[in-house]
Amino acid sequence: MEFRVFGPVEVRCGDRVDVLSGRLQRTLLGVLLERADQPVPVDVLADALWGDRPDPRAAQKLQLHVHRLRGVLDTPDRLSFGASGYRLRARTDEVDAERFEALVKTGVADAEPQRAVESLRAALALCRGTPFADLEVPVLTDWARRLAERRLAAIEALYQAELACGLHEAVLGELTDLVREHPWRERLHGLLMTSLYRAGRRSEALEAYRRARQALVSELGLEPGPELRELHRRILADDLPAHAPAVRLSRVDVPAQLPVDVRGFVGREAELAELDGLPHTEPPVPISTIAGTAGVGKTALAVRWAHRVRDRFPDGQLYADLRGYGPDEPVSPADALAGFLRSLGLDGAAIPEHLDERAARFRTLLDQRRVLILLDNAHSVEQVRPLLPGGSSCFTLVTGRDSLAGLVARYGAHRIDLDRLSSADAIALVRELLGTRADAEPEAVTALVERCARLPLALRIAAEIVRSRPGRALGELAGELADRQDALDVLMGDDDPHTAVRAVFSWSYQRLDPAAAGVFRLLGLHHGQDVDVHAVAALAGAEPREARRALDVLVRAHLVDQSPDGRYQPHDLLRAYAAELAAGTDDAGDRAAALTRLFGYYLGTASAAMDVIAPHEAERRPDVAPPGTRSPAFDSYESAFRWLDRERANLLAATHHGELDHVVKVSDTVWRYLIIGGYHDDAITLHTRALHAAEALGDVAAEANARRVLGAATLRVGLPAQAVEHLERALALYRQVGDRSLQAATVNNIGVAHWQQGNLAEAADHFHRALAGYEELGDQRMRAPATNNHARILHALGRYDEAFELFERALTISRDNGNRTSEANALCGLAEVSDATGQCARTLDYARRALAIARATGHRSLEGSATRILGVAHRHCGDQDQALRHLDTALHIARAVGDIDQLVASLNALAAAHASTGNHREALRLYREALEPVRGAGRRDGYAHALTGIGDVHAALGDHEGAIDHWRRALARYRRLGMPQAATLAAKLSPGPPTARRTPSPA
């Protein structure tokens, strides 16, 4: 059993690696490992998992997470429970952090430099990433910080030992990079200076000291310490002893076959560091593979690393391009061995005839020798196996598009799956290749990077095209690449079959079996983002098991990327290539049928998900056929919501390419989910398409539905006038078709629009009409939203008792009908009325209950609203720290979902909280920001609240004229709205010095 805390927390049991998927699971394991073999109290674990979010079911939830964690352990009794808490049994050699500490201690204490190097490299090989990289848990912070510092110290000790071995030339590049990364670590500066001096580069060593001093003085205000100054003095005096060069084995013929290092290499620091540690692990790993899609830079990475470490292999470096994928025939193992044997000193007559004998002679010649063997572009394990040395003194690096899983399974090879460059590294590569031309057009560089799918090969071809067109702008090429099909044509480069992008892809495709090739072509038809197995099965008209088998083949061939959560996607250039193949290979009718199956799968599964999320609205949704292939089953609200979140982009993409009727049905099906999730921009896009589709079909009811939900979406983003236009037209259409229930729903939404515009009386009238319509129909299910809205109007007018009664009524209706959104809305309303009437404890209780429901249902706007109310309540209860924390979170949520109502309310509330702590500058900034969206959206109540707050701040600062001016402007608006704040402001403006007093609503 092995536990890893460097990088994502994970558990390894034999060949199985479990990367714990949930943050809470990883947190639980991390805290238990931090106190391995010690009991950890339940309250410590609960605090680490949920912080200050009180949860009466915390103990039950903890038991559930413990149960799940036990499921990935080799034996459940490793994690036991006693009187003092939970205890995880883990030996020192089972935890990578503990093994790291032990190896570092051994290496630092070893007086023999070579043994010290081996121990320290083995320790650093365990550092696969930042400890607890994705967790921010206070109880783990100290351990993570200690491990990070210990890693840096181990790096310094390693290079100290390597310098003692005489490897000053070998470590120069690595030390230069480290000094750049850690400019304030004096020991690293000293090591770099020493290595430069011993390499005969005295002037550069002195320049390195100058740069070190400049960094320390300019950034820290400190002169270098005595050790660094003494080293500088000794270099000036040529008084530093030079160590003897590293001992090399005596060989007549030392091959040095590495290809030329790649110009403009960028990024890949993590992969280079991972490779650095492999030859020095305990036991050493003698083989590594680098696998990845065509053009991703496998060879460039392998060659760069080989040049970096060539001095560690004094007996030579062997290289062979095995041509596993390309226009030429693959190199046979026998031919590759013949070349290697000649390089190792055998003449033609001495080279055995048969493959097995050549492999045996090769292993014999390499016995006890330190040689690096680079096998590039391998096609299969069978091609590589005879080329492997027999012992662990050599290191073999293999690159290929296939995962070469057999090397991992049989020989314990370490595998690195090379992904495309990050956006930042890809941009850096273009700048390296194009220089000032890239700097002059940064936006074009960004576009070029994405259109070349962040593939180094494609970027290098594109850069060569740019250089060949000195008179044309970089943006022109980016424009040519905008269409994926055109991109393949443009990136043909100079027609070299080894570099043309389309040809490079074809070498992988041609080796696929028919089933996998068919699935690859179908993926070119998919217009959305990543897909799961069920979607691919729908495309192919196959069972998920068959689709998964084909996808596994494509992943191994690196024609499709697989994400950690089991989804699949070819990058853009490969998708374009797949679409090209589909158009040229598959019948048009077959392609259309595949898309019909896919769109039917998405719509049918979305409808099933909505039946779980909003069962009270099932009768309103369109009847859709179930998917023609097997689809996911939703056993909970969370699983249904997660599926919609994952497939949202694909659902929208399908409406861009699907039939008109399909567009209408998707809009009618998922509109409520889009509101709950706060995806208002997506909602406007989808419902606008549905409106155009309904108009084209001449479907009056569909047009009414599209306008109703489009009106609701535009309300959320602060466009009430546009919303009223859609909603009034929807109301007329519903009257035309005789749908009285949706008439009432639309009247309710029109009331919300009037309320946003500050027409409170008009809004109240519409809420009354909506409730009356539901009453006539005897429809209790949909009364809750209108009841909540009517209560909010009463609350705004200061009629708190009536508002409280209506909110309680809405709460009962919501619970009776399973409408959790309206339930949370009612609880928010009860909390706000309780706050306005000074009932602190009751406010906190209602707000926390609302927040729990909002989080459980994934309703982002409601989560922001409940968090804001909770923050306001904490402020009024005297807990300013909690208030600021919650209000900061509420503002972040409001910005994220684009809900203008919540944005204005959160800005005003956070401004009031800062004002109450004396931070007047920040309060004024936030109040003034609140005025901006309000002006455009016509929210006169929010505008008045902000003006009142600004006046209060001016009063607190002694600026009486400024206070009075803002209060008067606010007073005029409150009076037009008929809101009770008018009386409060009138009192402030009565004769006498103005004072900043609390008003009920600006918070």
Side-chain angles (χ1 to χ4, degrees):
M1 197 77 196
E2 181 183 0
F3 301 97
R4 296 179 176 180
V5 302
F6 284 101
V9 179
E10 62 184 34
V11 178
R12 178 182 288 270
C13 187
D15 291 331
R16 191 189 85 235
V17 178
D18 293 298
V19 179
L20 304 180
S21 58
R23 183 188 65 83
L24 295 178
Q25 283 281 292
R26 294 194 296 276
T27 301
L28 174 61
L29 179 57
V31 175
L32 289 168
L33 286 172
E34 197 269 339
R35 305 185 185 188
D37 285 319
Q38 301 176 36
V40 185
V42 169
D43 59 345
V44 172
L45 292 171
D47 183 66
L49 267 61
W50 295 288
D52 60 352
R53 292 178 292 171
D55 189 333
R57 295 188 299 146
Q60 293 173 281
K61 290 181 177 179
L62 178 59
Q63 290 174 6
L64 175 62
H65 287 295
V66 167
H67 173 73
R68 289 174 178 169
L69 180 55
R70 283 175 173 147
V72 302
L73 300 176
D74 54 352
T75 172
D77 63 6
R78 268 187 180 270
L79 180 52
S80 57
F81 179 76
S84 302
Y86 288 96
R87 175 178 175 269
L88 177 65
R89 178 167 48 81
R91 300 190 311 271
T92 299
D93 62 348
E94 292 180 318
V95 183
D96 61 350
E98 299 294 343
R99 295 206 314 277
F100 165 77
E101 293 273 17
L103 285 166
V104 171
K105 184 177 180 181
T106 300
V108 170
D110 201 319
E112 208 287 307
Q114 186 57 48
R115 289 200 303 266
V117 166
E118 292 171 1
S119 293
L120 291 166
R121 285 231 172 250
L124 291 167
L126 297 169
C127 302
R128 300 172 182 86
T130 304
F132 312 107
D134 57 346
L135 300 178
E136 294 183 4
V137 182
V139 72
L140 297 176
T141 300
D142 286 343
W143 193 18
R145 188 183 298 117
R146 186 173 69 250
L147 287 172
E149 178 61 31
R150 189 70 168 148
R151 176 180 176 274
L152 269 176
I155 290 172
E156 291 170 341
L158 168 66
Y159 289 111
Q160 185 79 52
E162 293 203 323
L163 286 175
C165 292
L167 297 173
H168 36 266
E169 292 276 8
V171 301
L172 263 176
E174 297 168 49
L175 279 172
T176 301
D177 292 340
L178 283 166
V179 164
R180 189 180 300 116
E181 186 179 350
H182 304 285
W184 302 308
R185 290 191 75 92
E186 291 193 32
R187 190 178 180 192
L188 285 175
H189 284 292
L191 291 167
L192 177 59
M193 291 163 60
T194 301
S195 65
L196 285 167
Y197 179 83
R198 289 180 179 161
R201 297 155 67 174
R202 178 174 175 272
S203 61
E204 292 178 58
L206 294 172
E207 175 62 19
Y209 176 81
R210 188 193 64 77
R211 288 195 302 269
R213 182 181 181 278
Q214 183 180 23
L216 294 167
V217 171
S218 61
E219 297 294 332
L220 304 179
L222 298 173
E223 286 288 338
E227 291 184 6
L228 200 59
R229 293 201 305 272
E230 174 62 12
L231 177 60
H232 178 235
R233 184 196 66 76
R234 297 185 69 182
I235 291 174
L236 279 172
D238 266 335
D239 187 28
L240 196 65
H243 281 238
V247 176
R248 297 171 60 88
L249 293 175
S250 175
R251 298 293 182 194
V252 175
D253 299 301
V254 178
Q257 299 181 343
L258 296 179
V260 175
D261 202 355
V262 180
R263 170 179 171 260
F265 186 93
V266 299
R268 308 302 195 196
E269 288 85 359
E271 291 85 358
L272 288 168
E274 192 171 347
L275 286 166
D276 279 344
L278 294 177
H280 302 283
T281 56
E282 187 57 46
V285 176
I287 308 170
S288 181
T289 65
I290 301 175
T293 193
V296 80
K298 302 178 292 295
T299 298
L301 171 62
V303 171
R304 169 52 59 101
W305 181 75
H307 277 284
R308 275 179 31 145
V309 300
R310 61 187 304 164
D311 287 341
R312 298 184 197 168
F313 299 94
D315 295 307
Q317 306 88 43
L318 296 170
Y319 172 83
D321 180 358
L322 300 179
R323 299 201 295 264
Y325 296 85
D328 306 316
E329 282 297 312
V331 174
S332 70
D335 288 346
L337 280 170
F340 284 166
L341 292 173
R342 282 191 293 270
S343 299
L344 293 170
L346 269 66
D347 59 29
I351 296 175
E353 182 178 351
H354 298 295
L355 174 62
D356 290 346
E357 293 176 349
R358 289 182 181 184
R361 183 67 60 85
F362 180 61
R363 291 192 294 271
T364 299
L365 287 173
L366 293 186
D367 186 43
Q368 300 301 312
R369 297 181 71 175
R370 294 176 61 192
V371 174
L372 174 63
I373 302 143
L374 176 48
L375 304 176
D376 195 19
N377 202 14
H379 170 59
S380 65
V381 174
E382 288 69 27
Q383 188 186 27
V384 169
R385 185 180 292 119
L387 309 179
L388 299 176
S392 60
S393 62
C394 297
F395 186 83
T396 305
L397 182 58
V398 187
T399 75
R401 297 187 199 176
D402 190 270
S403 60
L404 300 173
L407 291 180
V408 178
R410 182 166 177 176
Y411 298 102
H414 178 86
R415 187 170 77 209
I416 295 176
D417 289 312
L418 196 61
D419 200 355
R420 290 170 285 156
L421 290 172
S422 68
S423 294
D425 285 342
I427 289 171
L429 175 58
V430 175
R431 286 178 173 158
E432 178 74 21
L433 297 171
L434 294 180
T436 56
R437 292 190 66 180
D439 294 334
E441 298 183 70
E443 293 183 0
V445 169
T446 301
L448 186 68
V449 159
E450 292 308 316
R451 287 163 189 168
C452 288
R454 307 194 311 278
L455 285 173
L457 172 63
L459 289 169
R460 290 179 183 279
I461 294 173
E464 184 57 36
I465 294 172
V466 170
R467 286 195 294 267
S468 70
R469 302 175 178 181
R472 297 179 65 182
L474 182 59
E476 291 184 44
L477 177 60
E480 288 181 53
L481 294 172
D483 180 79
R484 287 194 298 229
Q485 180 59 47
D486 288 347
L488 291 175
D489 296 331
V490 173
L491 295 175
M492 286 302 293
D494 58 1
D495 293 326
D496 179 350
H498 291 275
T499 60
V501 169
R502 183 185 281 109
V504 170
F505 291 162
S506 72
W507 303 331
S508 294
Y509 172 75
Q510 290 164 8
R511 297 181 184 277
L512 297 175
D513 63 69
V519 168
F520 178 70
R521 295 195 302 274
L522 288 173
L523 289 173
L525 305 179
H526 188 271
H527 297 287
Q529 296 185 359
D530 55 358
V531 293
D532 65 4
V533 169
H534 291 93
V536 175
L539 258 177
E543 286 296 310
R545 181 180 65 257
E546 299 167 10
R548 187 182 300 280
R549 188 180 302 118
L551 286 166
D552 286 344
V553 172
L554 294 175
V555 169
R556 288 197 300 272
H558 288 93
L559 287 168
V560 169
D561 296 330
Q562 182 179 13
S563 64
D565 57 353
R567 296 178 67 81
Y568 303 86
Q569 182 178 29
H571 61 65
D572 282 351
L573 292 177
L574 275 169
R575 191 191 298 276
Y577 178 59
E580 180 181 279
L581 288 171
T585 305
D586 300 317
D587 180 77
D590 291 340
R591 300 199 304 272
L595 287 175
T596 298
R597 290 192 299 269
L598 177 68
F599 295 164
Y601 161 76
Y602 280 135
L603 178 58
T605 311
S607 182
M610 290 307 302
D611 285 345
V612 176
I613 289 172
H616 60 289
E617 292 176 337
E619 292 180 8
R620 286 189 176 183
R621 286 190 288 276
D623 291 329
V624 299
T629 56
R630 194 182 309 172
S631 62
F634 305 119
D635 56 2
S636 66
Y637 182 103
E638 291 77 12
S639 63
F641 205 92
R642 276 198 308 272
W643 185 89
L644 287 165
D645 268 349
R646 286 195 298 265
E647 304 297 349
R648 184 175 72 256
N650 291 328
L651 285 164
L652 262 69
T655 64
H656 190 63
H657 300 277
E659 299 290 336
L660 297 178
D661 183 60
H662 177 79
V663 179
V664 168
K665 287 181 176 178
V666 172
S667 170
D668 279 352
T669 298
V670 302
W671 68 272
R672 174 65 71 186
Y673 153 74
L674 293 174
I675 287 179
I676 291 173
Y679 308 120
H680 308 310
D681 289 342
D682 285 347
I684 291 172
T685 298
L686 172 61
H687 304 326
T688 300
R689 286 178 190 165
L691 174 58
H692 295 157
E695 290 173 335
L697 291 168
D699 189 329
V700 176
E703 181 184 349
N705 288 341
R707 289 189 180 277
R708 185 189 86 253
V709 294
L710 187 54
T714 50
L715 275 177
R716 294 281 180 174
V717 297
L719 299 171
Q722 186 175 328
V724 168
E725 182 181 342
H726 284 301
L727 292 168
E728 292 284 9
R729 177 61 179 154
L731 183 59
L733 293 171
Y734 282 133
R735 286 171 178 156
Q736 183 178 331
V737 298
D739 192 325
R740 295 170 62 196
S741 177
L742 288 177
Q743 285 180 49
T746 306
V747 167
N748 174 68
N749 284 344
I750 295 172
V752 175
H754 283 299
W755 182 13
Q756 287 190 354
Q757 292 175 302
N759 304 321
L760 269 65
E762 188 77 14
D765 177 62
H766 278 81
F767 296 147
H768 275 298
R769 288 166 54 193
L771 287 168
Y774 289 130
E775 190 69 36
E776 290 176 13
L777 292 169
D779 187 349
Q780 291 297 314
R781 293 170 305 166
M782 303 310 299
R783 286 177 60 87
T787 306
N788 270 325
N789 288 334
H790 188 198
R792 289 191 182 282
I793 290 288
L794 295 175
H795 169 251
L797 296 173
R799 294 159 62 178
Y800 300 132
D801 290 342
E802 296 170 78
F804 195 87
E805 181 182 347
L806 275 183
F807 278 130
E808 285 193 314
R809 191 179 305 168
L811 184 64
T812 300
I813 296 170
S814 302
R815 286 174 172 168
D816 288 346
N817 292 282
N819 188 340
R820 302 200 75 194
T821 296
S822 289
E823 181 182 353
N825 259 319
L827 287 167
C828 283
L830 290 167
E832 290 192 290
V833 173
S834 300
D835 181 66
T837 54
Q839 300 177 73
C840 181
R842 193 160 74 171
T843 303
L844 290 171
D845 177 60
Y846 283 133
R848 284 169 177 155
R849 288 157 61 189
L851 181 58
I853 293 174
R855 284 175 172 164
T857 58
H859 200 309
R860 291 288 282 160
S861 288
L862 265 177
E863 181 183 356
S865 182
T867 305
R868 171 180 55 80
I869 296 166
L870 191 58
V872 172
H874 277 299
R875 179 167 74 85
H876 292 159
C877 295
D879 190 341
Q880 302 300 330
D881 289 340
Q882 285 279 66
L884 288 170
R885 188 173 68 82
H886 284 297
L887 293 171
D888 270 329
T889 301
L891 180 58
H892 172 77
I893 294 172
R895 292 191 199 279
V897 301
D899 189 318
I900 298 299
D901 273 343
Q902 289 304 323
L903 177 61
V904 173
S906 298
L907 285 166
N908 279 329
L910 185 56
H914 279 294
S916 66
T917 65
N919 190 353
H920 299 121
R921 176 179 295 180
E922 182 65 7
L924 281 175
R925 185 189 70 78
L926 292 164
Y927 276 132
R928 286 168 180 157
E929 186 183 346
L931 295 177
E932 294 307 314
V934 174
R935 286 192 184 108
R939 287 173 174 74
R940 283 177 284 176
D941 54 346
Y943 195 89
H945 295 338
L947 288 172
T948 302
I950 293 172
D952 289 346
V953 173
H954 279 289
L957 294 172
D959 179 7
H960 299 163
E961 290 184 6
I964 290 171
D965 173 62
H966 285 89
W967 286 341
R968 281 176 176 164
R969 291 159 61 192
L971 176 61
R973 286 164 173 78
Y974 282 136
R975 281 175 171 165
R976 285 198 294 272
L977 293 168
M979 295 179 70
Q981 286 87 346
T984 305
L985 281 184
K988 286 187 177 185
L989 290 166
S990 60
T995 57
R997 292 194 288 262
R998 174 185 168 188
T999 57
S1001 67

